Amino acid sequence: FKVEPQLPVWTHPLDLNSEESTEVACLAEVMFFEARSDGELGMETVAKNVLTRLKNKHRGATTICGVVYTKAQYSYIWDDVPDVILKAELPLYNKVLSFAYQLYYLYEFGQLPDDYLAVGYCDDGATHYHRFDITPSWAGARGTMSQYCGRFGSHVFYRGI
């Protein structure tokens, strides 16, 4: 994971009862549980999707957790499968958590590079995605109702719907 400007990792301890720690945790969890098998690029692209939705106030959401917990938006929340981080996965999750922390601060303080949210062919970021092996009703015939951004890992990304 790399985004410029780079923040020192954990510049100050997170207050575990604070809004900022909740927001960082929501971002890390959606990245990890939605795309951990897709590697860093796949997880980062999911993070870009969340931040694009936040920027656009998708479905009225004004926080990262608001975006993530909007009904039926991210399958790991609504699939009735327990979301567990295995002991062997802790190093990866800690890396994701550190990256989510950096993204949160860069976003909150307006320090993300102008083109950071771009995803594939979508300069303004991707607002939707799905697994490559399904076609949800909103995607039409592989994106006829939206702009195709590209495939990253096991997910296909789109802009607009």
Side-chain angles (χ1 to χ4, degrees):
F1 297 113
K2 186 175 181 185
V3 61
E4 297 295 337
Q6 187 83 14
L7 285 180
V9 176
W10 303 115
T11 56
H12 61 82
L14 286 174
D15 174 355
L16 295 179
N17 296 314
S18 71
E19 181 180 338
E20 71 181 7
S21 67
T22 302
E23 292 290 279
V24 170
C26 282
L27 187 57
E29 287 174 8
V30 73
M31 291 169 65
F32 186 80
F33 290 122
E34 286 284 305
R36 68 180 161 210
S37 65
D38 291 339
E40 290 181 4
L41 178 62
M43 289 185 286
E44 184 176 10
T45 307
V46 168
K48 290 180 178 188
N49 169 263
V50 171
L51 295 178
T52 297
R53 287 179 172 198
L54 179 58
K55 180 180 174 184
N56 295 328
K57 297 185 179 5
H58 182 74
R59 296 195 178 185
T62 58
T63 64
I64 290 170
C65 293
V67 169
V68 171
Y69 285 96
T70 298
K71 188 172 182 176
Q73 295 301 297
Y74 294 95
S75 61
Y76 86 96
I77 293 173
W78 309 103
D79 63 6
D80 294 326
V81 174
D83 301 309
V84 177
I85 301 169
L86 302 174
K87 186 175 181 180
E89 296 174 316
L90 281 174
L92 175 60
Y93 182 74
N94 286 334
K95 188 174 182 179
V96 170
L97 187 62
S98 179
F99 184 69
Y101 166 83
Q102 291 179 26
L103 277 183
Y104 171 79
Y105 275 96
L106 292 172
Y107 182 86
E108 283 298 308
F109 293 106
Q111 299 298 309
L112 277 179
D114 291 339
D115 62 349
Y116 180 74
L117 294 178
V119 172
Y121 300 113
C122 300
D123 293 340
D124 293 327
T127 56
H128 293 73
Y129 70 91
H130 61 81
R131 282 189 47 86
F132 74 93
D133 55 354
I134 65 164
T135 303
S137 59
W138 57 259
R142 288 283 185 220
T144 57
M145 299 177 64
S146 59
Q147 179 185 355
Y148 173 79
C149 301
R151 179 176 167 181
F152 299 89
S154 62
H155 295 97
V156 180
F157 289 81
Y158 302 90
R159 172 131 189 113
I161 294 292

